[in-house]
Amino acid sequence: QKEVEQNSGPLSVPEGAIASLNCTYSDRGSQSFFWYRQYSGKSPELIMSIYSNGDKEDGRFTAQLNKASQYVSLLIRDSQPSDSATYLCAVSDFNKFYFGSGTKLNVKP
Amino acid sequence: EAGVAQSPRYKIIEKRQSVAFWCNPISGHATLYWYQQILGQGPKLLIQFQNNGVVDDSQLPKDRFSAERLKGVDSTLKIQPAKLEDSAVYLCASSSTGVGNTIYFGEGSWLTVV
């Protein structure tokens, strides 16, 4: 079973701060990497995907990928209370998706 | 574009009873997944279909769980008999094929076994 590891949290940050979420994965052959947001009682919602080393920015979100270190991160700038959710890291290898257990983020007003 | 549809959204059953969940994937998506998500955990793959065929069902408890995907579109997941530990959200998801494709989830079917 391919492993995707995340710190379960909770990670607490004040409103307006940068939230940094981290993920490591075990399979070097992994091709695609995703961050999903899951609000309590809801299903996961895709917020970012990244496929090559480096940074990818989308609004307040930046995904970072380092394949040599098998490490993916998500930065949320100017965190808002509405960002409070569980963030799931997912790793894909040829149409198979593996999920971490998620990091719970609390953004305090 | 319509998303992944699931029903029922909520179900409460007694242990040893049976339950069935239905899923209709995004139009044109060849791959369909059923995940189980227990509270506080990440989604765990139960079964993956590519068109009509099963790609991976290694984590499906086959003594009580079954799934089918007729005509390569809709799918049904059945649990019989249910156990208390089956209480979870059952997430259906779909994706197109190829490198870089993305998986999209339905709203989930919430099962409570009492």
Side-chain angles (χ1 to χ4, degrees), chain A residues 27-39:
Chain A
D27 181 20
R28 286 192 174 274
S30 299
Q31 304 273 325
S32 308
F33 307 85
F34 307 88
W35 284 98
Y36 286 79
R37 178 176 60 201
Q38 188 172 26
Y39 291 115

Side-chain angles (χ1 to χ4, degrees), chain B residues 29-108:
Chain B
H29 279 189
T31 307
L32 185 148
Y33 311 79
W34 283 102
Y35 284 88
Q36 180 193 57
Q37 188 176 25
I38 293 172
L39 189 65
Q41 299 181 18
K44 182 184 91 170
L45 180 68
L46 292 175
I47 189 166
Q48 177 178 344
F49 293 94
Q50 177 96 3
N51 297 310
N52 286 346
V54 175
V55 173
D56 184 352
D57 64 355
S58 58
Q59 296 196 82
L60 186 73
K62 299 180 183 64
D63 58 334
R64 299 183 301 104
F65 286 65
S66 63
E68 60 181 6
R69 189 181 186 194
L70 300 176
K71 301 180 181 179
V73 182
D74 293 5
S75 177
T76 302
L77 175 71
K78 296 180 181 178
I79 307 173
Q80 181 178 17
K83 293 185 175 181
L84 296 177
E85 59 260 37
D86 299 331
S87 295
V89 182
Y90 291 86
L91 295 164
C92 181
S94 69
S95 70
S96 56
T97 54
V99 176
N101 59 308
T102 305
I103 189 171
Y104 297 94
F105 287 92
E107 292 186 316

